[in-house]
Amino acid sequence: MTNAAGAISDAHMPAKMRISQATKIYQTKSGGVHALDNVSIDVREGEFLCLLGPSGCGKSTLLWSMAGLHGLTSGEIRLGSDVITKPHPEIAMIFQEANLLPWRNLGSNIELPFEIKKQPPNRELIKKLLKRVGLEGFENKYPRELSGGMQQRASIVRSLAVDPSVLLMDEPFGALDAFTRDEMNLLIQEIWMETGKTIIFITHSIAEAVFLADRIVVMSARPGRISTIVDVDLPRPRPVKLQTTPEFLERVEAIKGMIDHRPAT
Ligand SMILES: Nc1ncnc2c1ncn2[C@@H]1O[C@H](COP(=O)(O)OP(=O)(O)O)[C@@H](O)[C@H]1O
Ligand SMILES: [Mg+2]
């Protein structure tokens, strides 16, 4: 494991997404909230990057900016040569809640992004993805008939059905029980290995970050800054039982020591 503080770039690989000096101050009635301060990251093509940090350190703020869902106060985010100022067709986002519409069945929830864009749904890809995540045959079920894990699988299918090259995930498994979370972590690792998508994944669980990531961006509390970036060199595919091995626990402990535990002000 190696650490490298500050703005990170790898001269040998082109950045898939480039975050340059991202700063965000929310304007509220009681004044400005400085959520992100001068964050620069080069996200590599095809990497699994985890953003790790305590609650309130600006992780979602950064991800929402990367998705083009809100603007930065200063700085810039690029996908290739495109500056991100609004949602981009190559970037999909998955949230902690599956956000399925309760009055639509699974199939029509998954087709919703196509309806919004007035495009024909890619039924062949949807069928393949449903099978891949174990939801084949559930197309006619309604969200209330599905477990939380199944709903989150459906939201993964909905995001991948538009064939994005970048997947942004904001604590996607944070609301699931520990067993389902392990299953989902295995699934997302497999999908990532099969598809070569670039994934940026937010978590406040150090173990989840070490299990999933190629690199972990450790953020410090408000205003959100990068405190360090850690390479995770554990071989893949990583099995769940890896989490009880000394080499895994060693990495978790090392990162624990890097987290800034000062209370947010
Ligand atoms: N829309 C908003 N208006 C004002 N403050 C906000 C808003 N969204 C987030 N914040 C504040 O910005 C900081 C970072 O929030 P957030 O990005 O959600 O952190 P994280 O995802 O790491 O928990 C927090 O202090 C939060 O209260
Ligand atoms: Mg958040």
Side-chain angles (χ1 to χ4, degrees):
M1 185 162 64
T2 55
N3 301 332
I8 298 303
S9 65
D10 185 332
H12 305 295
M13 283 169 97
K16 175 75 180 175
M17 287 191 83
R18 173 161 285 178
I19 301 159
S20 309
Q21 300 180 319
T23 295
K24 175 82 177 178
I25 300 168
Y26 290 105
Q27 296 305 336
T28 69
K29 281 183 194 142
S30 51
V33 178
H34 199 159
L36 266 188
D37 189 52
N38 207 15
V39 169
S40 298
I41 308 168
D42 278 1
V43 182
R44 298 171 189 157
E45 171 91 54
E47 83 170 319
F48 204 124
L49 186 77
C50 280
L51 298 180
L52 173 73
S55 186
C57 77
K59 304 181 295 297
S60 296
T61 298
L62 179 58
L63 213 69
W64 278 60
S65 308
M66 295 176 78
L69 296 172
H70 65 193
L72 293 168
T73 307
S74 64
E76 187 183 77
I77 295 173
R78 281 177 186 266
L79 173 75
S81 56
D82 296 349
V83 178
I84 301 299
T85 52
K86 59 181 193 314
H88 189 288
E90 269 194 52
I91 302 174
M93 180 124 169
I94 294 178
F95 301 88
Q96 184 165 359
E97 302 297 329
N99 295 318
L100 302 173
L101 297 175
W103 59 88
R104 284 179 163 242
N105 68 22
L106 206 76
S108 77
N109 261 295
I110 289 166
E111 290 183 6
L112 185 63
F114 294 93
E115 265 177 59
I116 292 169
K117 288 188 198 157
K118 298 191 169 53
Q119 286 171 2
N122 186 344
R123 295 226 159 93
E124 203 178 315
L125 179 57
I126 290 172
K127 194 163 179 243
K128 199 173 128 205
L129 289 166
L130 282 168
K131 188 166 181 200
R132 182 64 193 81
V133 305
L135 283 177
E136 197 180 31
F138 285 85
E139 294 87 334
N140 295 321
K141 298 276 185 202
Y142 285 84
R144 65 176 178 277
E145 301 177 274
L146 304 172
S147 68
M150 290 166 99
Q151 292 191 29
Q152 204 51 302
R153 285 168 199 257
S155 98
I156 291 172
V157 172
R158 184 182 51 195
S159 316
L160 292 175
V162 297
D163 203 21
S165 61
V166 176
L167 201 54
L168 306 176
M169 306 182 81
D170 192 350
E171 304 202 31
F173 311 139
L176 302 175
D177 64 76
F179 298 106
T180 311
R181 194 171 179 166
D182 279 346
E183 265 173 34
M184 297 300 285
N185 281 336
L186 280 178
L187 179 68
I188 202 68
Q189 174 182 226
E190 286 166 10
I191 288 175
W192 170 77
M193 289 178 79
E194 288 160 17
T195 60
K197 309 265 182 217
T198 303
I199 297 186
I200 298 112
F201 185 108
I202 289 183
T203 180
H204 57 242
S205 158
I206 301 175
E208 186 170 56
V210 172
F211 184 73
L212 288 172
D214 290 331
R215 287 194 301 160
I216 302 173
V217 177
V218 182
M219 293 178 66
S220 63
R222 240 166 66 197
R225 294 195 180 110
I226 295 178
S227 53
T228 187
I229 299 185
V230 179
D231 286 321
V232 183
D233 54 0
L234 296 165
R236 296 185 190 268
R238 299 176 185 161
V240 169
K241 65 176 190 299
L242 176 73
Q243 298 186 25
T244 52
T245 62
E247 63 266 32
F248 186 89
L249 296 170
E250 221 168 70
R251 284 164 174 80
V252 171
E253 283 305 314
I255 293 172
K256 215 173 249 179
M258 297 172 195
I259 302 268
D260 178 2
H261 284 290
R262 276 173 309 167
T265 46

